Amino acid sequence: MKVDGVARRSIQLAADGRGVEIVDQTLLPHRFETRELRVLSDATEAISAMRVRGAPLIGATAAYGVALQMREESSDASLQRAIEALLATRPTAVNLSWALDEMRASLRELPPAAREARAYARAAAICDEDVENCRAIGEHGLRLIEALHERRAERGPLNVLTHCNAGWLATVDWGTALAPVYLAHDRGIAIHVWVDETRPRNQGASLTAWELGQHGVSHTVIADNAGGHLMQRGRVDLCITGSDRTTSTGDVCNKIGTYLKALAARDNGVPFYVALPTSSIDWTLSDGLAEIPIEERDGAELSCVRGRNADGDTVEVAVTPASSPVANPAFDVTPARLVTGLITERGVCEASAAGLAGLYPERSAQSASS
Ligand code: MRU
């Protein structure tokens, strides 16, 4: 996607072909700055501090984290250390363990001297595959948007509600939930996005709004609590969110607050779709509520808000009494029954074991034979 008219990815190799350049997402929307990761600890810090975030981008960064470590030391022990350190950064998005499994599989049989080059090549391939997958998700989602838009063209732009940031900043490029929106906009479909602010870290207000603005897509930031009200008044035609982990039965884990939007959508007859690449599916799980680990983040994310003051300085202010305890679960699980459909790079399916088996027949064959 473009930043000030210049095409770039959220993660890319630095000019020396060894360092890895990321967009520091903690500074957006007020400052666009890139940062170079040079060693493994730069990568673990970037993921833990959420300089990079979003399930697919966490996976891509972890893959490059392994490559950075292979550059320093390519022994078996070093590979294992890198995988363990990266795996410990964030617990919920399954793309992290998926990417690390990919890296381990492509490196472990190689002699140490061959690992650095292979690690960089596999990390680059993971990034390229993510771009292709997100673009394909965009094409499949676009068909849904076109169909809805045709049905109601006389009533102005199609209104899409999204939660958190599942745009290009959350992936390597294009995004998941926002890929269909970008394609629709590029093809001249009148579209408007309701952007949930997404407390406590405000990924909607600061990242989704910034992305959409850079691309010229009409959007309005709303308080997290406003979505249900807008749905009751017929002002939302479609909800699309991303996912950090989806079970083999179609339960969807995503940023905290997604579940409430799905409930409101069901009550108001608004289609609720989830867009995700295959790397976000955890085929080992069948009960999202019982089995998906939910990240608990620092309560300071809730008790304080950060923003820019009138002098242009970034400041943090407290919004809760200092003595009040806070709790900060970062994700929730939307049961499959509330999800209208899953949009993957292979196509759109029902959020159910049967729906996923239809798109991934090789998976049902695997589980039948195991
Ligand atoms: O805590 P974050 O910002 O990493 O959470 C990200 C989300 O919940 C996204 O909506 C999700 O990863 C889908 S990203 C394509």
Side-chain angles (χ1 to χ4, degrees):
M1 304 302 284
K2 290 187 175 160
V3 178
D4 296 330
V6 180
R8 65 161 304 120
R9 289 179 172 187
S10 64
I11 187 166
Q12 54 196 41
L13 271 185
D16 69 359
R18 287 292 174 255
V20 179
E21 191 181 278
I22 58 158
V23 176
D24 186 345
Q25 300 189 25
T26 61
L27 303 177
L28 287 170
H30 304 301
R31 255 170 45 218
F32 178 84
E33 261 180 38
T34 59
R35 186 180 178 101
E36 195 172 320
L37 313 178
R38 295 190 193 86
V39 292
L40 172 66
S41 58
D42 293 341
T44 55
E45 191 274 343
I47 299 172
S48 304
M50 293 178 67
R51 299 185 196 284
V52 291
R53 27 68 50 204
L57 180 57
I58 290 171
T61 308
Y64 270 122
V66 172
L68 292 170
Q69 177 72 359
M70 291 301 94
R71 189 178 168 213
E72 297 281 306
E73 193 201 325
S74 56
S75 65
D76 286 356
S78 167
L79 175 60
Q80 186 56 26
R81 267 200 311 278
I83 288 173
E84 282 169 16
L86 288 158
L87 207 48
T89 51
R90 295 194 69 193
T92 301
V94 75
N95 306 60
L96 177 60
S97 57
W98 172 85
L100 292 171
D101 286 347
E102 291 287 310
M103 295 302 286
R104 185 193 281 113
S106 75
L107 299 178
R108 72 178 158 207
E109 304 302 342
L110 289 181
R115 284 179 179 164
E116 178 186 339
R118 173 72 70 85
Y120 274 96
R122 186 66 194 111
I126 284 174
C127 290
D128 291 344
E129 286 158 21
D130 187 63
V131 176
E132 264 323 293
N133 290 340
C134 287
R135 200 189 148 76
I137 287 168
E139 294 288 350
H140 295 301
L142 174 64
R143 278 180 220 126
L144 295 172
I145 288 178
E146 283 170 337
L148 279 171
H149 195 256
E150 259 165 42
R151 265 187 259 151
R152 63 179 313 283
E154 71 286 356
R155 288 167 60 201
L158 188 88
N159 285 297
V160 177
L161 182 142
T162 192
H163 192 69
C164 195
N165 172 261
W168 72 268
L169 287 168
T171 64
V172 178
D173 207 349
W174 286 104
T176 55
L178 292 189
V181 169
Y182 287 129
L183 285 179
H185 172 84
D186 291 351
R187 293 184 193 175
I189 295 174
I191 196 158
H192 167 263
V193 183
W194 296 112
V195 178
D196 281 352
E197 60 176 345
T198 318
R199 278 284 282 150
R201 287 188 67 100
N202 292 321
Q203 290 96 325
S206 51
L207 304 178
T208 300
W210 179 82
E211 270 195 28
L212 292 172
Q214 285 286 326
H215 202 78
V217 179
S218 163
H219 64 280
T220 307
V221 179
I222 52 172
D224 284 330
N225 301 327
H229 163 81
L230 292 170
M231 290 185 215
Q232 284 175 321
R233 277 161 177 69
R235 299 181 68 192
V236 181
D237 300 301
L238 169 68
C239 298
I240 315 182
T241 73
S243 170
D244 291 81
R245 195 185 292 226
T246 292
T247 65
S248 62
T249 51
D251 293 339
V252 169
C253 182
N254 194 51
K255 182 52 56 188
I256 193 82
T258 303
Y259 168 55
L260 290 177
K261 294 301 138 65
L263 281 174
R266 175 55 56 94
D267 194 42
N268 290 283
V270 175
F272 186 94
Y273 282 92
V274 177
L276 66 150
T278 305
S279 51
S280 297
I281 303 175
D282 188 336
W283 298 101
T284 68
L285 304 187
S286 57
D287 181 344
L289 268 179
E291 297 173 311
I292 298 178
I294 301 294
E295 181 177 16
E296 282 280 342
R297 291 193 61 90
D298 190 338
E301 291 181 350
L302 187 67
S303 54
C304 298
V305 276
R306 191 147 65 111
R308 176 171 273 195
N309 69 13
D311 298 327
D313 301 320
T314 299
V315 292
E316 211 164 75
V317 293
V319 289
T320 58
S323 58
S324 292
V326 293
N328 187 13
F331 297 91
D332 61 24
V333 174
T334 300
R337 66 186 154 76
L338 296 177
V339 178
T340 309
L342 302 173
I343 310 171
T344 78
E345 69 270 23
R346 291 201 186 179
V348 181
C349 72
E350 187 184 88
S352 66
L356 281 166
L359 280 189
Y360 298 90
E362 74 278 17
R363 286 285 167 179
S364 9
Q366 269 169 23
S367 37
S369 65
S370 61

Short mmCIF file of all heavy atoms in Angstrom, two decimals, residues 172-221:
data_model
loop_
_atom_site.label_atom_id
_atom_site.label_comp_id
_atom_site.label_asym_id
_atom_site.label_seq_id
_atom_site.Cartn_x
_atom_site.Cartn_y
_atom_site.Cartn_z
N VAL A 172 1.47 -8.15 5.87
CA VAL A 172 2.64 -7.60 5.17
C VAL A 172 2.18 -6.54 4.17
O VAL A 172 2.83 -5.50 4.00
CB VAL A 172 3.43 -8.73 4.47
CG1 VAL A 172 4.63 -8.17 3.70
CG2 VAL A 172 3.90 -9.75 5.51
N ASP A 173 1.04 -6.79 3.56
CA ASP A 173 0.43 -5.79 2.68
C ASP A 173 -1.05 -6.13 2.52
O ASP A 173 -1.47 -7.24 2.84
CB ASP A 173 1.13 -5.78 1.31
CG ASP A 173 1.02 -4.42 0.63
OD1 ASP A 173 0.24 -3.57 1.10
OD2 ASP A 173 1.71 -4.21 -0.39
N TRP A 174 -1.84 -5.20 2.07
CA TRP A 174 -3.27 -5.34 1.80
C TRP A 174 -4.15 -5.46 3.04
O TRP A 174 -5.20 -4.85 3.10
CB TRP A 174 -3.57 -6.56 0.90
CG TRP A 174 -3.17 -6.34 -0.52
CD1 TRP A 174 -2.07 -6.84 -1.15
CD2 TRP A 174 -3.86 -5.53 -1.49
NE1 TRP A 174 -2.03 -6.40 -2.45
CE2 TRP A 174 -3.13 -5.60 -2.68
CE3 TRP A 174 -5.03 -4.78 -1.47
CZ2 TRP A 174 -3.51 -4.92 -3.84
CZ3 TRP A 174 -5.42 -4.12 -2.60
CH2 TRP A 174 -4.66 -4.20 -3.77
N GLY A 175 -3.77 -6.33 4.00
CA GLY A 175 -4.64 -6.58 5.14
C GLY A 175 -5.56 -7.75 4.87
O GLY A 175 -5.57 -8.35 3.79
N THR A 176 -6.35 -8.09 5.90
CA THR A 176 -7.33 -9.16 5.74
C THR A 176 -8.73 -8.52 5.62
O THR A 176 -9.25 -8.41 4.52
CB THR A 176 -7.27 -10.16 6.91
OG1 THR A 176 -7.41 -9.44 8.15
CG2 THR A 176 -5.96 -10.91 6.91
N ALA A 177 -9.27 -8.02 6.72
CA ALA A 177 -10.61 -7.41 6.66
C ALA A 177 -10.65 -6.21 5.72
O ALA A 177 -11.68 -5.94 5.09
CB ALA A 177 -11.04 -6.99 8.06
N LEU A 178 -9.54 -5.48 5.63
CA LEU A 178 -9.58 -4.27 4.80
C LEU A 178 -9.21 -4.52 3.34
O LEU A 178 -9.43 -3.64 2.50
CB LEU A 178 -8.66 -3.18 5.37
CG LEU A 178 -9.08 -2.57 6.72
CD1 LEU A 178 -8.21 -1.35 7.05
CD2 LEU A 178 -10.55 -2.16 6.72
N ALA A 179 -8.67 -5.69 3.02
CA ALA A 179 -8.30 -5.93 1.61
C ALA A 179 -9.51 -5.80 0.68
O ALA A 179 -9.41 -5.12 -0.36
CB ALA A 179 -7.64 -7.31 1.47
N PRO A 180 -10.69 -6.38 1.04
CA PRO A 180 -11.84 -6.19 0.15
C PRO A 180 -12.27 -4.72 0.05
O PRO A 180 -12.74 -4.28 -1.00
CB PRO A 180 -12.95 -7.02 0.82
CG PRO A 180 -12.26 -7.93 1.78
CD PRO A 180 -11.00 -7.25 2.18
N VAL A 181 -12.09 -4.00 1.15
CA VAL A 181 -12.47 -2.58 1.16
C VAL A 181 -11.57 -1.80 0.19
O VAL A 181 -12.05 -0.99 -0.62
CB VAL A 181 -12.35 -2.00 2.59
CG1 VAL A 181 -12.47 -0.49 2.59
CG2 VAL A 181 -13.40 -2.64 3.50
N TYR A 182 -10.26 -2.07 0.25
CA TYR A 182 -9.34 -1.36 -0.66
C TYR A 182 -9.65 -1.69 -2.11
O TYR A 182 -9.66 -0.80 -2.98
CB TYR A 182 -7.88 -1.73 -0.34
CG TYR A 182 -7.37 -1.10 0.94
CD1 TYR A 182 -6.75 -1.87 1.93
CD2 TYR A 182 -7.51 0.26 1.18
CE1 TYR A 182 -6.29 -1.31 3.11
CE2 TYR A 182 -7.05 0.84 2.36
CZ TYR A 182 -6.44 0.04 3.32
OH TYR A 182 -5.99 0.63 4.49
N LEU A 183 -9.91 -2.96 -2.38
CA LEU A 183 -10.20 -3.34 -3.77
C LEU A 183 -11.50 -2.70 -4.24
O LEU A 183 -11.60 -2.22 -5.38
CB LEU A 183 -10.27 -4.86 -3.91
CG LEU A 183 -8.92 -5.59 -3.88
CD1 LEU A 183 -9.13 -7.10 -4.00
CD2 LEU A 183 -8.02 -5.11 -5.01
N ALA A 184 -12.51 -2.70 -3.37
CA ALA A 184 -13.79 -2.10 -3.74
C ALA A 184 -13.59 -0.61 -4.05
O ALA A 184 -14.08 -0.10 -5.07
CB ALA A 184 -14.81 -2.29 -2.62
N HIS A 185 -12.87 0.05 -3.19
CA HIS A 185 -12.61 1.48 -3.39
C HIS A 185 -11.87 1.70 -4.71
O HIS A 185 -12.24 2.56 -5.51
CB HIS A 185 -11.78 2.00 -2.21
CG HIS A 185 -11.28 3.40 -2.40
ND1 HIS A 185 -12.05 4.51 -2.11
CD2 HIS A 185 -10.10 3.88 -2.86
CE1 HIS A 185 -11.37 5.60 -2.37
NE2 HIS A 185 -10.17 5.25 -2.83
N ASP A 186 -10.83 0.87 -4.95
CA ASP A 186 -10.04 1.03 -6.18
C ASP A 186 -10.89 0.79 -7.43
O ASP A 186 -10.58 1.32 -8.49
CB ASP A 186 -8.85 0.05 -6.19
CG ASP A 186 -7.81 0.43 -5.15
OD1 ASP A 186 -7.93 1.51 -4.54
OD2 ASP A 186 -6.88 -0.38 -4.93
N ARG A 187 -11.92 -0.04 -7.28
CA ARG A 187 -12.76 -0.33 -8.45
C ARG A 187 -13.98 0.57 -8.54
O ARG A 187 -14.93 0.29 -9.27
CB ARG A 187 -13.15 -1.80 -8.46
CG ARG A 187 -11.88 -2.61 -8.67
CD ARG A 187 -12.06 -4.05 -8.80
NE ARG A 187 -10.72 -4.67 -8.69
CZ ARG A 187 -10.50 -5.95 -8.67
NH1 ARG A 187 -11.50 -6.79 -8.78
NH2 ARG A 187 -9.28 -6.43 -8.57
N GLY A 188 -13.95 1.62 -7.76
CA GLY A 188 -14.99 2.64 -7.94
C GLY A 188 -16.29 2.38 -7.21
O GLY A 188 -17.28 3.07 -7.45
N ILE A 189 -16.31 1.40 -6.30
CA ILE A 189 -17.54 1.16 -5.51
C ILE A 189 -17.58 2.17 -4.36
O ILE A 189 -16.58 2.32 -3.63
CB ILE A 189 -17.55 -0.28 -4.97
CG1 ILE A 189 -17.64 -1.27 -6.14
CG2 ILE A 189 -18.70 -0.50 -3.99
CD1 ILE A 189 -17.53 -2.72 -5.74
N ALA A 190 -18.71 2.83 -4.20
CA ALA A 190 -18.82 3.80 -3.10
C ALA A 190 -18.90 3.04 -1.78
O ALA A 190 -19.80 2.23 -1.56
CB ALA A 190 -20.07 4.65 -3.29
N ILE A 191 -17.93 3.26 -0.93
CA ILE A 191 -17.84 2.50 0.32
C ILE A 191 -17.43 3.43 1.46
O ILE A 191 -16.65 4.37 1.25
CB ILE A 191 -16.85 1.33 0.13
CG1 ILE A 191 -17.01 0.29 1.23
CG2 ILE A 191 -15.41 1.76 0.00
CD1 ILE A 191 -16.49 -1.09 0.83
N HIS A 192 -17.99 3.18 2.61
CA HIS A 192 -17.65 3.99 3.80
C HIS A 192 -17.41 3.03 4.96
O HIS A 192 -18.14 2.04 5.11
CB HIS A 192 -18.80 4.95 4.14
CG HIS A 192 -18.66 5.57 5.50
ND1 HIS A 192 -19.32 5.06 6.62
CD2 HIS A 192 -17.93 6.62 5.94
CE1 HIS A 192 -19.00 5.80 7.67
NE2 HIS A 192 -18.15 6.75 7.29
N VAL A 193 -16.39 3.30 5.77
CA VAL A 193 -16.05 2.37 6.86
C VAL A 193 -16.29 3.04 8.22
O VAL A 193 -15.79 4.14 8.48
CB VAL A 193 -14.56 1.92 6.75
CG1 VAL A 193 -14.24 0.91 7.84
CG2 VAL A 193 -14.27 1.34 5.38
N TRP A 194 -17.07 2.37 9.05
CA TRP A 194 -17.18 2.74 10.46
C TRP A 194 -16.00 2.08 11.17
O TRP A 194 -15.89 0.85 11.17
CB TRP A 194 -18.48 2.24 11.08
CG TRP A 194 -19.75 2.81 10.50
CD1 TRP A 194 -20.68 2.15 9.77
CD2 TRP A 194 -20.23 4.15 10.66
NE1 TRP A 194 -21.72 2.99 9.45
CE2 TRP A 194 -21.47 4.23 9.98
CE3 TRP A 194 -19.75 5.30 11.29
CZ2 TRP A 194 -22.23 5.40 9.92
CZ3 TRP A 194 -20.50 6.46 11.24
CH2 TRP A 194 -21.72 6.51 10.57
N VAL A 195 -15.15 2.88 11.78
CA VAL A 195 -13.93 2.36 12.40
C VAL A 195 -14.09 2.36 13.92
O VAL A 195 -14.11 3.42 14.55
CB VAL A 195 -12.71 3.26 12.01
CG1 VAL A 195 -11.45 2.75 12.69
CG2 VAL A 195 -12.54 3.32 10.50
N ASP A 196 -14.23 1.17 14.51
CA ASP A 196 -14.28 1.10 15.99
C ASP A 196 -12.95 1.60 16.55
O ASP A 196 -11.88 1.14 16.13
CB ASP A 196 -14.44 -0.37 16.43
CG ASP A 196 -15.87 -0.86 16.31
OD1 ASP A 196 -16.77 -0.05 16.04
OD2 ASP A 196 -16.08 -2.08 16.50
N GLU A 197 -13.00 2.46 17.54
CA GLU A 197 -11.74 3.00 18.10
C GLU A 197 -10.84 1.87 18.64
O GLU A 197 -9.64 1.93 18.55
CB GLU A 197 -12.03 4.02 19.20
CG GLU A 197 -12.80 3.42 20.35
CD GLU A 197 -13.02 4.37 21.53
OE1 GLU A 197 -12.35 5.40 21.60
OE2 GLU A 197 -13.86 4.05 22.37
N THR A 198 -11.48 0.85 19.24
CA THR A 198 -10.78 -0.34 19.74
C THR A 198 -9.89 -0.04 20.96
O THR A 198 -8.66 -0.19 20.94
CB THR A 198 -9.98 -1.05 18.62
OG1 THR A 198 -10.75 -1.09 17.43
CG2 THR A 198 -9.63 -2.48 19.03
N ARG A 199 -10.56 0.41 22.01
CA ARG A 199 -9.88 0.53 23.30
C ARG A 199 -9.43 -0.86 23.76
O ARG A 199 -10.10 -1.84 23.43
CB ARG A 199 -10.84 1.16 24.32
CG ARG A 199 -10.91 2.67 24.26
CD ARG A 199 -9.71 3.36 24.86
NE ARG A 199 -9.76 3.40 26.33
CZ ARG A 199 -8.66 3.41 27.10
NH1 ARG A 199 -7.46 3.35 26.57
NH2 ARG A 199 -8.78 3.45 28.41
N PRO A 200 -8.36 -1.00 24.52
CA PRO A 200 -7.62 0.12 25.11
C PRO A 200 -6.48 0.68 24.24
O PRO A 200 -6.04 1.79 24.49
CB PRO A 200 -7.02 -0.49 26.39
CG PRO A 200 -6.83 -1.92 26.05
CD PRO A 200 -7.97 -2.30 25.13
N ARG A 201 -6.01 -0.04 23.23
CA ARG A 201 -4.82 0.48 22.53
C ARG A 201 -5.18 1.30 21.29
O ARG A 201 -4.31 1.81 20.60
CB ARG A 201 -3.87 -0.65 22.16
CG ARG A 201 -3.13 -1.21 23.36
CD ARG A 201 -2.06 -2.20 22.92
NE ARG A 201 -1.00 -1.57 22.18
CZ ARG A 201 0.18 -1.24 22.67
NH1 ARG A 201 0.45 -1.46 23.93
NH2 ARG A 201 1.09 -0.69 21.90
N ASN A 202 -6.47 1.36 21.00
CA ASN A 202 -6.93 2.23 19.91
C ASN A 202 -6.37 1.90 18.53
O ASN A 202 -6.10 2.79 17.72
CB ASN A 202 -6.61 3.70 20.24
CG ASN A 202 -7.44 4.19 21.41
OD1 ASN A 202 -8.61 3.86 21.52
ND2 ASN A 202 -6.83 4.95 22.29
N GLN A 203 -6.24 0.61 18.23
CA GLN A 203 -5.74 0.25 16.90
C GLN A 203 -6.65 0.75 15.79
O GLN A 203 -6.19 1.00 14.67
CB GLN A 203 -5.59 -1.28 16.77
CG GLN A 203 -4.47 -1.87 17.60
CD GLN A 203 -4.96 -2.39 18.92
OE1 GLN A 203 -5.88 -1.83 19.53
NE2 GLN A 203 -4.37 -3.46 19.40
N GLY A 204 -7.96 0.86 16.09
CA GLY A 204 -8.88 1.38 15.06
C GLY A 204 -8.66 2.86 14.86
O GLY A 204 -8.43 3.33 13.74
N ALA A 205 -8.73 3.61 15.97
CA ALA A 205 -8.62 5.07 15.88
C ALA A 205 -7.27 5.53 15.34
O ALA A 205 -7.19 6.50 14.59
CB ALA A 205 -8.85 5.67 17.27
N SER A 206 -6.21 4.80 15.71
CA SER A 206 -4.90 5.31 15.29
C SER A 206 -4.36 4.63 14.04
O SER A 206 -3.68 5.28 13.25
CB SER A 206 -3.89 5.22 16.44
OG SER A 206 -3.88 3.93 16.97
N LEU A 207 -4.65 3.35 13.83
CA LEU A 207 -4.04 2.64 12.70
C LEU A 207 -5.00 2.49 11.52
O LEU A 207 -4.67 2.84 10.39
CB LEU A 207 -3.53 1.26 13.16
CG LEU A 207 -2.56 1.28 14.34
CD1 LEU A 207 -2.17 -0.14 14.74
CD2 LEU A 207 -1.31 2.10 14.01
N THR A 208 -6.20 1.96 11.80
CA THR A 208 -7.15 1.76 10.69
C THR A 208 -7.53 3.11 10.08
O THR A 208 -7.55 3.26 8.85
CB THR A 208 -8.40 1.02 11.20
OG1 THR A 208 -7.98 -0.24 11.72
CG2 THR A 208 -9.41 0.78 10.10
N ALA A 209 -7.80 4.09 10.93
CA ALA A 209 -8.18 5.40 10.41
C ALA A 209 -7.04 6.00 9.58
O ALA A 209 -7.26 6.57 8.51
CB ALA A 209 -8.55 6.33 11.56
N TRP A 210 -5.81 5.83 10.04
CA TRP A 210 -4.66 6.37 9.32
C TRP A 210 -4.50 5.69 7.96
O TRP A 210 -4.35 6.35 6.93
CB TRP A 210 -3.39 6.18 10.17
CG TRP A 210 -2.16 6.68 9.51
CD1 TRP A 210 -1.71 7.97 9.46
CD2 TRP A 210 -1.20 5.90 8.79
NE1 TRP A 210 -0.54 8.03 8.75
CE2 TRP A 210 -0.20 6.77 8.33
CE3 TRP A 210 -1.09 4.54 8.48
CZ2 TRP A 210 0.89 6.34 7.58
CZ3 TRP A 210 -0.01 4.10 7.74
CH2 TRP A 210 0.97 4.99 7.30
N GLU A 211 -4.58 4.35 7.98
CA GLU A 211 -4.46 3.60 6.72
C GLU A 211 -5.51 4.00 5.71
O GLU A 211 -5.21 4.22 4.54
CB GLU A 211 -4.74 2.11 7.00
CG GLU A 211 -3.62 1.27 7.35
CD GLU A 211 -4.03 -0.21 7.21
OE1 GLU A 211 -4.89 -0.56 6.42
OE2 GLU A 211 -3.43 -1.00 7.93
N LEU A 212 -6.76 4.04 6.17
CA LEU A 212 -7.85 4.35 5.24
C LEU A 212 -7.69 5.76 4.70
O LEU A 212 -7.90 6.02 3.51
CB LEU A 212 -9.21 4.18 5.93
CG LEU A 212 -9.59 2.74 6.29
CD1 LEU A 212 -10.86 2.72 7.16
CD2 LEU A 212 -9.81 1.88 5.04
N GLY A 213 -7.26 6.67 5.57
CA GLY A 213 -7.04 8.04 5.13
C GLY A 213 -5.93 8.13 4.09
O GLY A 213 -6.05 8.82 3.07
N GLN A 214 -4.85 7.38 4.28
CA GLN A 214 -3.74 7.37 3.32
C GLN A 214 -4.22 6.88 1.96
O GLN A 214 -3.73 7.31 0.92
CB GLN A 214 -2.62 6.44 3.81
CG GLN A 214 -1.79 7.00 4.93
CD GLN A 214 -0.83 8.10 4.46
OE1 GLN A 214 -0.33 8.06 3.36
NE2 GLN A 214 -0.62 9.08 5.31
N HIS A 215 -5.18 5.96 1.98
CA HIS A 215 -5.65 5.38 0.72
C HIS A 215 -6.87 6.14 0.17
O HIS A 215 -7.38 5.79 -0.89
CB HIS A 215 -6.00 3.90 0.94
CG HIS A 215 -5.99 3.11 -0.33
ND1 HIS A 215 -4.83 2.68 -0.94
CD2 HIS A 215 -7.00 2.69 -1.15
CE1 HIS A 215 -5.12 2.03 -2.05
NE2 HIS A 215 -6.44 2.01 -2.20
N GLY A 216 -7.33 7.12 0.88
CA GLY A 216 -8.46 7.92 0.38
C GLY A 216 -9.82 7.25 0.54
O GLY A 216 -10.77 7.60 -0.17
N VAL A 217 -9.92 6.29 1.48
CA VAL A 217 -11.21 5.62 1.69
C VAL A 217 -12.03 6.39 2.73
O VAL A 217 -11.53 6.71 3.81
CB VAL A 217 -11.00 4.16 2.19
CG1 VAL A 217 -12.35 3.47 2.41
CG2 VAL A 217 -10.15 3.37 1.20
N SER A 218 -13.28 6.65 2.40
CA SER A 218 -14.17 7.38 3.31
C SER A 218 -14.37 6.56 4.59
O SER A 218 -14.65 5.36 4.54
CB SER A 218 -15.50 7.60 2.57
OG SER A 218 -16.50 7.93 3.48
N HIS A 219 -14.21 7.22 5.74
CA HIS A 219 -14.35 6.48 7.00
C HIS A 219 -14.72 7.43 8.13
O HIS A 219 -14.50 8.64 8.02
CB HIS A 219 -13.04 5.75 7.36
CG HIS A 219 -11.90 6.68 7.60
ND1 HIS A 219 -11.17 7.25 6.58
CD2 HIS A 219 -11.35 7.16 8.75
CE1 HIS A 219 -10.24 8.03 7.08
NE2 HIS A 219 -10.33 8.00 8.40
N THR A 220 -15.25 6.87 9.21
CA THR A 220 -15.59 7.64 10.40
C THR A 220 -15.21 6.80 11.61
O THR A 220 -15.58 5.63 11.71
CB THR A 220 -17.12 7.90 10.46
OG1 THR A 220 -17.53 8.49 9.22
CG2 THR A 220 -17.49 8.82 11.60
N VAL A 221 -14.46 7.40 12.53
CA VAL A 221 -14.09 6.69 13.76
C VAL A 221 -15.26 6.79 14.74
O VAL A 221 -15.84 7.87 14.92
CB VAL A 221 -12.82 7.30 14.39
CG1 VAL A 221 -12.46 6.58 15.69
CG2 VAL A 221 -11.65 7.24 13.41
#
